[in-house]
Amino acid sequence: MAHFYREPSRTFSEYLLVPNLTTKTSIPGNVSLKTPIARYMKGEKCPFEITIPVASAIMQSVSDSNMAIALARSGGISFIYASQPIEQQAEMVIKVKNYKAGFVVSDSNLKPDQTLKDVLDLKARTGHSTIAITEDGSSTGKLLGVVTSRDYRLSRSPLDRKIQEFMTPFSSLIYGKEGITLSEANDMIWDHKLNCLPIINKNQNIMYLVFRKDYDDHKENPDELLDQNKRLRVGAGINTRDFTERVPALVKAGVDVLCIDSSDGFSEWQRETVQWIKQEYNGTVKVGAGNVVDKEGFLYLAESGADFVKVGIGGGSICITREQKGIGRGQATSVIEVAQARDEYFKQTGIYVPICSDGGIVHDYHITLALAMGADFVMLGRYFARFDESPTRKLKVGANFVKEYWGEGSNRARNWERYDAGGEQKLEFEEGVDSYVPYAGKLKDNLDITISKIKSTLCNCGAVTIEELQKVARITFVSSTSIIEGGAHDVILKESHSLLK
Ligand code: RVP
């Protein structure tokens, strides 16, 4: 006879945290949200921590290199989507790894024999007024001068005047040399009252520009997630089919962590994939697996060697797996059960395998609940899709701006690997929808607010780390009537209250 679970499975909205004593030291300034994302042995330090407990989803409409740069700069990690050709995904990883905070590759470049008209045209196109003048007009050519709007007076100069006649020539430029640190570059900018400092290599080829404003920006991101070489960290999704080709290309590109992207990860294909990676790279390449929703699924992947295990089936905002196939489980219940299994496994083996709650986060407090229930970090799709940095189009629908957001199991993404149980099948029915989400502006502005809410709730619970929260949290189940009590009620609202904040 089939197994029946005695309790219904539940979602985050059915729970709340009950405050503990808040001591005078439990203040947001003292809270650290650092969290492990790779397995480690008891008594050892986790080899891979992220500064804030959030990852962006392995989805075409969420995680490309732009998203990865923005999120790593805030301390989280993106997993670049796997439903694309290997070379293209590797290119995205390379772009993130080549990004140097504060150092930008010049996007406006001309040759000395071009004209003032070319300068004006380029400025109109890029919106940037600092133009590097290089021998071949490329962004890495020999630097011969720089043009800014201080170098010409439109009322006096004819449009066909050659750039070499009015640029600031190399001989008069202040520049930095390859290897200079951002803070040294900033000192030069201040000492010489510059707006921009070109950085050149030993052949006088331009490498980067450092702008005064970008240094300030860098200082505002103390949580940046960097590797030993001070490059941003980035993850990438993989599948269980082409991993023998995809993984080497991603590793060569410098990826920091991989994750098998599948709606149902309790499979022999996942074990095979994890074990191949572990063997091929002697355990040095980190790989997460999933998704699972119970103890058995967790243990299978943990014993297979997964560095972290992702939890959740059917809870994603664009996901219709439960409707289509009748598989899944309430997200809160899944996290609670898997976290218990993870803790037991740790007790028995001394190996800690972090877990990630994936999908179904609607309110910011759901993140704190997931952490309190035992998740080490969460993965979000809808949340990040709303920002400027997501790869999709921003449109105006009616009076509102929206961004496009589609599931990996939708016809639009055609990511049949994620939904396939093996064999040579193709995506036959959709498990995801194509949708819009309200446009919400810049990632950093929104994420800063989310993170301060999480820190504040930790203080209410008398905790200053996620580990402490997991030990001391008291979680109450709420009745459907008390859920109504929790929102604004019995008043006439002046403005529409956005549920999507
Ligand atoms: P959400 O944050 O609720 O938008 O959920 C994002 C998650 O939904 C992803 O990380 C993934 O696990 C899942 N997903 C992605 N595509 C689909 C689908 O098409 N069904 N589901």
Short mmCIF file of all heavy atoms in Angstrom, two decimals, residues 57 59 291 316-319 358-360 379-382 405 407-410 418-419 431-432, ligand 1:
data_model
loop_
_atom_site.label_atom_id
_atom_site.label_comp_id
_atom_site.label_asym_id
_atom_site.label_seq_id
_atom_site.Cartn_x
_atom_site.Cartn_y
_atom_site.Cartn_z
N ALA A 57 18.34 32.38 -9.30
CA ALA A 57 17.94 31.10 -9.89
C ALA A 57 18.64 30.81 -11.22
O ALA A 57 19.00 31.71 -11.98
CB ALA A 57 16.43 31.09 -10.10
N MET A 59 18.16 30.38 -14.31
CA MET A 59 17.08 30.59 -15.28
C MET A 59 17.49 31.63 -16.33
O MET A 59 18.14 32.62 -16.00
CB MET A 59 15.82 31.09 -14.55
CG MET A 59 15.26 30.09 -13.56
SD MET A 59 13.88 30.74 -12.58
CE MET A 59 12.57 30.80 -13.79
N ASN A 291 16.58 19.00 -7.42
CA ASN A 291 15.98 19.35 -6.16
C ASN A 291 15.33 18.13 -5.51
O ASN A 291 14.85 17.24 -6.21
CB ASN A 291 14.90 20.40 -6.38
CG ASN A 291 15.51 21.78 -6.68
OD1 ASN A 291 16.70 21.93 -6.86
ND2 ASN A 291 14.68 22.79 -6.76
N GLY A 316 7.93 27.17 -7.15
CA GLY A 316 8.34 28.38 -7.88
C GLY A 316 7.14 29.15 -8.41
O GLY A 316 6.11 28.55 -8.76
N SER A 317 7.29 30.48 -8.44
CA SER A 317 6.15 31.34 -8.84
C SER A 317 5.66 31.03 -10.25
O SER A 317 4.47 31.18 -10.55
CB SER A 317 6.55 32.80 -8.72
OG SER A 317 7.70 33.03 -9.50
N ILE A 318 6.57 30.59 -11.14
CA ILE A 318 6.20 30.33 -12.54
C ILE A 318 6.02 28.84 -12.80
O ILE A 318 5.90 28.41 -13.93
CB ILE A 318 7.27 30.88 -13.53
CG1 ILE A 318 8.67 30.80 -12.96
CG2 ILE A 318 7.00 32.30 -13.93
CD1 ILE A 318 9.14 29.58 -12.38
N CYS A 319 6.05 28.06 -11.72
CA CYS A 319 6.11 26.61 -11.85
C CYS A 319 4.72 25.97 -11.77
O CYS A 319 3.96 26.27 -10.85
CB CYS A 319 6.99 26.05 -10.74
SG CYS A 319 7.25 24.30 -10.89
N ASP A 358 14.80 26.44 -2.47
CA ASP A 358 14.67 27.00 -3.83
C ASP A 358 13.21 27.19 -4.23
O ASP A 358 12.46 26.22 -4.33
CB ASP A 358 15.36 26.03 -4.80
CG ASP A 358 15.20 26.45 -6.26
OD1 ASP A 358 14.88 27.63 -6.51
OD2 ASP A 358 15.39 25.59 -7.14
N GLY A 359 12.83 28.46 -4.46
CA GLY A 359 11.50 28.76 -5.01
C GLY A 359 10.47 29.06 -3.94
O GLY A 359 10.57 28.62 -2.79
N GLY A 360 9.47 29.84 -4.37
CA GLY A 360 8.33 30.08 -3.49
C GLY A 360 8.50 31.18 -2.47
O GLY A 360 7.66 31.36 -1.60
N MET A 379 17.32 30.27 -2.85
CA MET A 379 17.46 30.61 -4.27
C MET A 379 16.17 31.28 -4.72
O MET A 379 15.07 30.80 -4.41
CB MET A 379 17.74 29.37 -5.10
CG MET A 379 17.87 29.66 -6.58
SD MET A 379 18.45 28.21 -7.52
CE MET A 379 20.22 28.40 -7.40
N LEU A 380 16.32 32.41 -5.43
CA LEU A 380 15.14 33.18 -5.82
C LEU A 380 15.16 33.49 -7.31
O LEU A 380 16.20 33.84 -7.86
CB LEU A 380 15.12 34.53 -5.07
CG LEU A 380 15.28 34.46 -3.55
CD1 LEU A 380 16.36 35.39 -3.10
CD2 LEU A 380 14.00 34.77 -2.85
N GLY A 381 13.99 33.35 -7.93
CA GLY A 381 13.86 33.68 -9.35
C GLY A 381 13.07 34.96 -9.52
O GLY A 381 13.59 35.99 -9.95
N ARG A 382 11.79 34.91 -9.14
CA ARG A 382 10.90 36.06 -9.31
C ARG A 382 11.49 37.32 -8.70
O ARG A 382 11.46 38.40 -9.30
CB ARG A 382 9.54 35.75 -8.66
CG ARG A 382 8.48 36.82 -8.86
CD ARG A 382 7.34 36.66 -7.87
NE ARG A 382 7.83 36.75 -6.50
CZ ARG A 382 8.05 37.89 -5.87
NH1 ARG A 382 7.80 39.03 -6.44
NH2 ARG A 382 8.51 37.89 -4.64
N TYR A 405 9.32 37.40 -17.24
CA TYR A 405 9.85 36.32 -16.38
C TYR A 405 9.22 35.00 -16.81
O TYR A 405 8.00 34.85 -16.76
CB TYR A 405 9.51 36.62 -14.92
CG TYR A 405 9.99 35.57 -13.93
CD1 TYR A 405 11.25 35.00 -14.05
CD2 TYR A 405 9.19 35.16 -12.87
CE1 TYR A 405 11.70 34.04 -13.15
CE2 TYR A 405 9.63 34.20 -11.95
CZ TYR A 405 10.88 33.65 -12.10
OH TYR A 405 11.32 32.70 -11.22
N GLY A 407 9.49 30.54 -16.90
CA GLY A 407 10.05 29.35 -16.26
C GLY A 407 10.95 28.57 -17.21
O GLY A 407 10.80 28.64 -18.43
N GLU A 408 11.87 27.82 -16.62
CA GLU A 408 12.76 26.98 -17.43
C GLU A 408 12.00 25.80 -18.05
O GLU A 408 12.48 25.17 -18.98
CB GLU A 408 13.91 26.45 -16.56
CG GLU A 408 14.96 27.49 -16.25
CD GLU A 408 15.71 27.95 -17.48
OE1 GLU A 408 16.32 27.12 -18.15
OE2 GLU A 408 15.66 29.16 -17.79
N GLY A 409 10.82 25.53 -17.53
CA GLY A 409 10.02 24.43 -18.09
C GLY A 409 8.94 24.94 -19.03
O GLY A 409 8.06 24.19 -19.42
N SER A 410 9.01 26.22 -19.38
CA SER A 410 8.04 26.77 -20.33
C SER A 410 8.53 26.52 -21.74
O SER A 410 9.73 26.30 -21.96
CB SER A 410 7.89 28.28 -20.11
OG SER A 410 9.10 28.93 -20.42
N ARG A 418 15.94 19.97 -17.69
CA ARG A 418 15.57 20.17 -16.29
C ARG A 418 14.36 19.30 -15.89
O ARG A 418 14.19 18.95 -14.75
CB ARG A 418 15.25 21.64 -16.07
CG ARG A 418 14.96 21.95 -14.63
CD ARG A 418 14.82 23.44 -14.36
NE ARG A 418 15.19 23.71 -12.99
CZ ARG A 418 14.34 23.66 -11.97
NH1 ARG A 418 13.09 23.37 -12.17
NH2 ARG A 418 14.75 23.90 -10.73
N TYR A 419 13.54 18.99 -16.88
CA TYR A 419 12.28 18.32 -16.57
C TYR A 419 12.20 16.89 -17.07
O TYR A 419 11.19 16.24 -16.93
CB TYR A 419 11.11 19.15 -17.13
CG TYR A 419 11.08 20.44 -16.40
CD1 TYR A 419 11.79 21.54 -16.86
CD2 TYR A 419 10.44 20.51 -15.18
CE1 TYR A 419 11.85 22.69 -16.12
CE2 TYR A 419 10.50 21.67 -14.43
CZ TYR A 419 11.20 22.75 -14.92
OH TYR A 419 11.27 23.88 -14.17
N GLU A 431 5.97 22.79 -17.97
CA GLU A 431 5.89 22.76 -16.50
C GLU A 431 6.11 24.16 -15.94
O GLU A 431 6.29 24.33 -14.73
CB GLU A 431 6.89 21.77 -15.93
CG GLU A 431 6.49 20.34 -16.19
CD GLU A 431 7.37 19.32 -15.47
OE1 GLU A 431 7.61 19.46 -14.26
OE2 GLU A 431 7.81 18.37 -16.15
N GLY A 432 6.15 25.14 -16.84
CA GLY A 432 6.35 26.51 -16.38
C GLY A 432 5.58 27.46 -17.27
O GLY A 432 5.18 27.11 -18.38
P1 RVP B 1 10.56 31.71 -7.64
O1 RVP B 1 11.65 32.38 -6.85
O2 RVP B 1 9.35 31.42 -6.78
O3 RVP B 1 10.21 32.45 -8.88
O4 RVP B 1 11.10 30.27 -8.04
C1 RVP B 1 12.27 30.09 -8.79
C2 RVP B 1 12.53 28.60 -8.91
O5 RVP B 1 11.47 27.97 -9.66
C3 RVP B 1 13.77 28.22 -9.67
O6 RVP B 1 14.95 28.34 -8.92
C4 RVP B 1 13.48 26.79 -10.07
O7 RVP B 1 13.77 25.86 -9.05
C5 RVP B 1 11.99 26.80 -10.29
N1 RVP B 1 11.64 26.85 -11.71
C6 RVP B 1 12.29 27.42 -12.75
N2 RVP B 1 11.58 27.21 -13.86
C7 RVP B 1 10.50 26.52 -13.48
C8 RVP B 1 9.45 26.03 -14.34
O8 RVP B 1 9.37 26.35 -15.51
N3 RVP B 1 8.59 25.21 -13.78
N4 RVP B 1 10.54 26.32 -12.15
#
